[in-house]
Amino acid sequence: MSASASRSRLESPVDILLVDDNPNNLLALEAILANINGRFVKASSGAEALKCLLSQDFALIILDIQMPDMDGFETAEMIRGRERSRRIPIIFLTAFNRSDTQVHKGYALGAVDFLFKPIFPEVLRSKVHVFVDLFRKTEEVRKQAELLRDVEKHEHERRLAEEKQRWEAELLRQQVEQERQVSQALALTIRERERAEEALRLSNARLRLLADTANQLLFSPEPRHFLSALYAQLAAHLGLEVYNCYLVDYRREDDGGLLTGEAPPRLHLESSGGGIDGEAPDLEWLEFGQGVPGKVAQLREELIVCEGEEESDLAGVASVTSVAVLPVLPVLPVLTGLAKVPVHANSLRVFVCYPMMADGRLIGTLGFGTRNRARLEDDEIDLLHIVGDQSAMALERARLVAELQSRAEALAEADRRKDEFLAMLAHELRNPLVPIMTGLKTFQMVEPGTPKLQRARDAMERQVRHMVRLVDDLLDVSRVTAGKIELRKDLIDVATIVQQAVQTSQPMMAEKQHELSVSLPPGRLELIVDQARLAQIVSNLLSNAAKYTDNGGHIELSAASIGDFVELRVRDNGRGIRPEMLPQVFGLFVQSDRTLDMAQGGLGVGLTLVKRLVELHGGTIQARSAGEGTGSEFIVRLPGVSRQQAANYVPPPRRDVTGEFRAMPPPVAPGAAKVEQVPRRLRILVVDDNPDIRATLHDLLEMQGHEVEVAEDGPQAIERVLASRPDVALVDIGLPGMDGFALARALRLDPQMNTRLVAMTGYGQAEDRRRALDAGFEAHVVKPVELDDLSRLLQEQP
């Protein structure tokens, strides 16, 4: 069967049974799965579904649990009790809350999955795709097996008929000759009968071998386990002493990963037999083009080498000084010039090698040889070819099944991680809301100036800062993953970075009463890094150590020069890391322990961010732990800087391409007196569609002495600007209708417009800042903005 015909069968429509008592749900399911090449049969009850199963087979059943009369569990039990339908995969759907009892009952009835309404279309489509593809491939294998059996049966009947005709013709001739030479004819008849019986026995044996081979390859989940025994059996059946099987290795073990276009795949020896003492053993690895198996893999054509008259330098393939190529080979020069190959040198008289192909994909090569014969018969060559094709198809089927299982496991793991992350995100965002809401109630109930009011204000401020840190962590991971973080490298002393990181993490250290010891080498230890990002790396590692160390713990931070690298180590005597968690500790949303009584906080993105920032600097990071209760250690290795590099280093020019407002006080000349600036009273327009933001910002700016107006959308803002000509307009980008960008462009069309436009928004990536500047804004700040930063921005001269 051709590859295109095979693909056409794989892509043919399959039947899917949708069972739900709600017609709207049936229509919704059909719409979600519209892009799947399938025929959907809809049933509104369990009884109707069972009726459909009496007349039709299905690739998949999507079954609602809550139905009148016969619910989904009862329906599934009836389906599993019938031999014809017991193996059809079932996906349960339910709109009720998740119940372990329901889930266990569903899986006990043989369900392959359990989904809860509302259903995520992408998840449902993905799961249905898996089972539809598996059904198509299973059907294709079954059809191919039936076709093979039909071909074998037809070939067997043909050969029996031919043998019968030859035997009858010979018998008739013998009867005619019987009157003249009775004794001679009788002896001849006996010999011919023996030959016919031997031929018939051999033919039957080969057919049995093919049938047994097909059954083993078809029904074995891992055909590689018995290929060696199969090839040894086939070689013994044909009287061939030597065989070898090479499989294509699309991974290089020494590279530790998938091959790239620069490193082609190799052949790995899967099995071999028939070698004798004194002969060269089969090489374990062959490059494409090396030896007969390598040349077969390279050309994807069968090669047959036997004794002949023309010389060739195929030493190591056949134990002869001259070889000839049978007619199945197109030209002799294809074989000449090959290096010595592992097919038992100095003894073989004939060797045949086939490419093992499945759906256009090279699986490997299969070769057989003999020392006792000068050639192989055509039927023997055909038999070897059939076995090679069967092996290739079985290996490819096993690979596809394993790949489908791996993808299903990866999807399940991703779904679990997603659920854990959403639960943790809800937990981390709800917790700060409690003191904020409590503080607001306190503001309503107590008199101004009381300690309770101050404590409430401090708690609210801490929790707001905590929520901002959570959002910042998520944004940082998103930027690094998208490759949107640009490092601003400079020559920095490691001591400066360590001091900055220690100051950042000091509040958590103090809160948990940890002892922090810092060890630095004498003198300067310099790196060319982004100071802020490296300080963020060290601070995150210190915070992680503090988080997972019980109160009163000991944390060590050290830096040292190791060869051409600088090594930063953060070690603690905390809870440690379980061995199975070590390979996953830098994964996104991974935390060592996710339990309801854990108070560490965070979303599990800190170590992911650390690893990616380290890699952006050309470094590596490693996590070590002897297990739970033994503490942990994180080791960061960064490229060092030699003295000559440090002496010749020229810092890159500084440029601000983002337009982001940076709240830095102006420098003061040495010896100059610090001058207190009197805030200017400004006319300010606040443009935001959120009424709470408009009201609170209006009140805050008024309390600072400014004259404030508000607008809730773009047209109203244009009207206010043209009427009152304010000094500054604080504009939200995400306005309904006319957004902030369009508003800024419209205002800049007025040549008399001298209002300073400041974008104040929750969109904080570099692309957002660039768009703001291009639209006509003069500054860009990210919500929530600190009051001191906003005050300094407003007092800047335009």
Side-chain angles (χ1 to χ4, degrees), residues 497-719:
I497 294 170
V498 168
Q499 181 181 10
Q500 183 178 346
V502 169
Q503 289 176 350
T504 302
S505 58
Q506 189 59 40
M508 181 178 287
M509 297 286 180
E511 179 185 350
K512 301 197 71 175
Q513 301 175 351
H514 292 321
E515 177 188 355
L516 174 62
S517 61
V518 179
S519 174
L520 297 176
R524 291 177 62 85
L525 182 58
E526 294 179 314
L527 291 170
I528 299 178
V529 294
D530 184 320
Q531 178 177 345
R533 290 301 180 183
L534 186 53
Q536 183 180 9
I537 291 170
V538 179
S539 174
N540 277 11
L541 291 178
L542 289 174
S543 299
N544 187 74
K547 181 189 303 184
Y548 289 101
T549 301
D550 293 335
N551 289 0
H554 182 72
I555 299 172
E556 301 173 6
L557 169 60
S558 64
S561 178
I562 309 294
D564 295 333
F565 293 88
V566 171
E567 204 169 75
L568 294 165
R569 291 173 177 255
V570 175
R571 182 173 180 80
D572 63 69
N573 62 346
R575 302 180 181 183
I577 305 173
R578 298 192 305 273
E580 66 271 17
M581 285 297 299
L582 274 176
Q584 309 173 36
V585 74
F586 295 107
L588 193 59
F589 310 134
V590 171
Q591 288 186 333
S592 181
D593 291 291
R594 289 186 184 271
T595 57
L596 294 178
D597 61 341
M598 294 294 286
Q600 287 81 10
L603 301 175
V605 300
L607 291 180
T608 302
L609 181 59
V610 165
K611 182 175 187 294
R612 296 183 181 178
L613 288 176
V614 168
E615 290 171 348
L616 283 177
H617 282 86
T620 62
I621 184 169
Q622 180 184 10
R624 293 179 179 176
S625 178
E628 290 183 301
T630 62
S632 58
E633 183 179 27
F634 289 84
I635 305 169
V636 176
R637 302 187 76 206
L638 297 170
V641 179
S642 66
R643 292 183 178 178
Q644 183 177 0
Q645 287 176 312
N648 298 333
Y649 179 74
V650 177
R654 296 299 182 190
R655 58 190 182 94
D656 186 3
V657 297
T658 65
E660 178 182 14
F661 169 68
R662 300 188 179 276
M664 299 296 292
V668 179
K674 185 175 180 182
V675 179
E676 296 291 341
Q677 294 183 353
V678 178
R680 293 185 299 143
R681 186 174 187 273
L682 302 173
R683 290 178 295 112
I684 301 174
L685 174 65
V686 177
V687 186
D688 202 302
D689 61 318
N690 187 305
D692 289 338
I693 295 177
R694 287 198 310 271
T696 55
L697 196 53
H698 173 276
D699 295 342
L700 188 63
L701 293 172
E702 271 196 346
M703 285 189 290
Q704 289 188 323
H706 302 297
E707 180 183 338
V708 185
E709 288 186 291
V710 296
E712 65 182 22
D713 55 31
Q716 192 177 95
I718 293 176
E719 179 183 344

Side-chain angles (χ1 to χ4, degrees), residues 15 39 77 483 679:
D15 296 327
R39 293 184 291 264
E77 189 173 4

Side-chain angles (χ1 to χ4, degrees), residues 19-67:
V19 186
D20 198 306
D21 60 315
N22 189 328
N24 294 331
N25 290 345
L26 291 173
L27 293 176
L29 288 173
E30 188 173 12
I32 290 173
L33 302 175
N35 64 338
I36 294 178
N37 189 12
R39 293 184 291 264
F40 301 98
V41 177
K42 293 175 285 189
S44 59
S45 65
E48 187 177 351
L50 294 175
K51 183 178 180 181
C52 293
L53 286 165
L54 290 175
S55 59
Q56 191 173 357
D57 292 328
F58 296 91
L60 177 66
I61 300 173
I62 300 177
L63 179 59
D64 186 34
I65 293 179
Q66 298 297 329
M67 295 188 298

Side-chain angles (χ1 to χ4, degrees), residues 102-399:
Q102 278 195 338
V103 173
H104 293 160
K105 183 175 181 181
Y107 285 123
L109 290 172
V112 298
D113 214 328
F114 205 107
L115 300 180
F116 295 88
K117 299 177 182 177
I119 297 171
F120 292 94
E122 294 80 5
V123 173
L124 180 60
R125 282 194 292 268
S126 174
K127 294 179 182 296
V128 172
H129 266 300
V130 170
F131 293 106
V132 167
D133 290 345
L134 182 61
F135 175 82
R136 287 172 173 158
K137 289 181 174 58
T138 303
E139 282 296 294
E140 178 65 15
V141 170
R142 182 185 61 78
K143 292 177 181 177
Q144 290 179 351
E146 291 177 355
L147 179 61
L148 181 60
R149 286 194 292 269
D150 291 340
V151 170
E152 292 170 351
K153 180 179 178 181
H154 178 74
E155 181 66 15
H156 177 63
E157 292 174 351
R158 183 186 66 80
R159 290 187 179 183
L160 285 177
E162 290 177 355
E163 291 296 332
K164 181 179 180 182
Q165 290 177 358
R166 285 197 294 268
W167 184 81
E168 290 177 349
E170 184 63 24
L171 182 60
L172 180 61
R173 185 185 65 79
Q174 292 172 3
Q175 290 175 349
V176 173
E177 293 286 329
Q178 186 175 14
E179 292 181 1
R180 188 170 55 87
Q181 296 179 340
V182 176
S183 59
Q184 182 179 0
L186 180 60
L188 181 61
T189 301
I190 294 174
R191 288 195 297 272
E192 288 295 332
R193 179 179 299 172
E194 290 175 348
R195 285 195 293 270
E197 290 175 350
E198 177 63 20
L200 182 60
R201 184 194 64 77
L202 181 60
S203 175
N204 288 335
R206 290 180 180 175
L207 289 174
R208 283 195 300 271
L209 177 62
L210 284 175
D212 292 343
T213 299
N215 288 332
Q216 292 182 70
L217 293 174
L218 182 62
F219 296 108
S220 172
E222 186 48 73
R224 293 180 65 168
H225 291 167
F226 63 87
L227 284 183
S228 182
L230 170 64
Y231 298 149
Q233 180 184 5
L234 181 60
H237 176 80
L238 296 178
L240 306 176
E241 307 88 69
V242 176
Y243 70 88
N244 61 27
C245 175
Y246 282 87
L247 298 183
V248 179
D249 180 37
Y250 288 97
R251 299 177 60 92
R252 286 199 188 261
E253 295 180 355
D254 51 353
D255 294 340
L258 289 175
L259 292 167
T260 64
E262 299 177 355
R266 297 183 295 177
L267 294 174
H268 179 257
L269 182 64
E270 176 69 16
S271 61
S272 64
I276 60 177
D277 294 340
E279 292 186 344
D282 288 341
L283 295 178
E284 184 178 1
W285 295 96
L286 287 178
E287 302 292 339
F288 275 35
Q290 180 184 0
V292 171
K295 182 61 69 173
V296 168
Q298 185 180 55
L299 299 177
R300 301 194 177 192
E301 294 179 356
E302 63 183 24
L303 299 180
I304 303 177
V305 181
C306 65
E307 287 182 332
E309 298 178 354
E310 298 185 32
E311 293 189 357
S312 171
D313 54 354
L314 280 174
V317 175
S319 61
V320 291
T321 56
S322 62
V323 298
V325 182
L326 290 180
V328 295
L329 292 180
V331 288
L332 178 63
V334 169
L335 297 176
T336 60
L338 296 179
K340 186 173 182 178
V341 293
V343 283
H344 309 292
N346 305 322
S347 62
L348 294 182
R349 300 180 65 190
V350 62
F351 184 76
V352 55
C353 189
Y354 299 95
M356 300 168 65
M357 305 288 296
D359 292 334
R361 187 174 189 267
L362 179 65
I363 307 300
T365 66
L366 179 61
F368 290 86
T370 179
R371 307 177 183 90
N372 302 324
R373 288 189 282 164
R375 61 172 295 135
L376 298 180
E377 300 299 330
D378 291 345
D379 59 340
E380 294 176 324
I381 293 175
D382 292 341
L383 177 62
L384 295 175
H385 207 160
I386 291 173
V387 171
D389 289 344
Q390 288 179 336
S391 301
M393 292 171 58
L395 290 170
E396 178 67 2
R397 177 181 62 84
R399 184 189 70 83

